[in-house]
């Protein structure tokens, strides 16, 4: 099943065990600290092995997330 949900992820995770999250046009407006919080919320919403798709123009600082989350996949 496919569901399209418009969710305010800044308030924290409310969706869990998602196979796929598509997230666009938000990170470019956030500071590094806000990006880290947002990424943490998004990763907590994914299943292990789930996919996070972001826009090609997003500038994100992934150095805090690559190792812990790549090891889970």
């Amino acid at each position: 099943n496919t569901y399209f949900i418009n969710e305010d992820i800044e308030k924290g995770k409310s969706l869990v065990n998602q196979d796929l999250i598509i997230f666009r046009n938000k990170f470019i407006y956030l500071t590094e600290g806000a990006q880290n919080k947002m990424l943490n919320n998004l990763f907590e919403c994914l299943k292990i092995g789930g996919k996070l798709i972001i826009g090609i123009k997003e500038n994100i600082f992934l150095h805090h997330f690559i190792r812990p989350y790549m090891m889970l996949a």
Side-chain angles (χ1 to χ4, degrees):
N1 294 335
T2 303
Y3 300 96
F4 295 92
I5 300 169
N6 187 8
E7 185 74 21
D8 187 356
I9 198 70
E10 288 183 76
K11 293 181 181 176
K13 65 176 189 167
S14 62
L15 304 171
V16 293
N17 293 323
Q18 300 301 304
D19 293 309
L20 173 68
I21 296 175
I22 301 172
F23 192 83
R24 295 184 46 193
N25 302 325
K26 180 71 174 179
F27 289 119
I28 57 175
Y29 301 108
L30 301 176
T31 65
E32 183 175 354
Q35 284 183 9
N36 288 338
K37 181 178 178 182
M38 183 78 65
L39 281 168
N40 189 53
N41 289 344
L42 289 168
F43 282 128
E44 287 181 4
C45 292
L46 289 171
K47 283 184 181 179
I48 292 176
K51 307 295 184 228
L52 172 63
I53 298 176
I54 62 171
I56 194 167
K57 298 291 184 180
E58 301 285 8
N59 294 320
I60 59 174
F61 303 93
L62 282 175
H63 56 275
H64 297 293
F65 291 95
I66 289 176
R67 289 186 187 265
Y69 288 100
M70 292 299 284
M71 293 175 136
L72 293 175

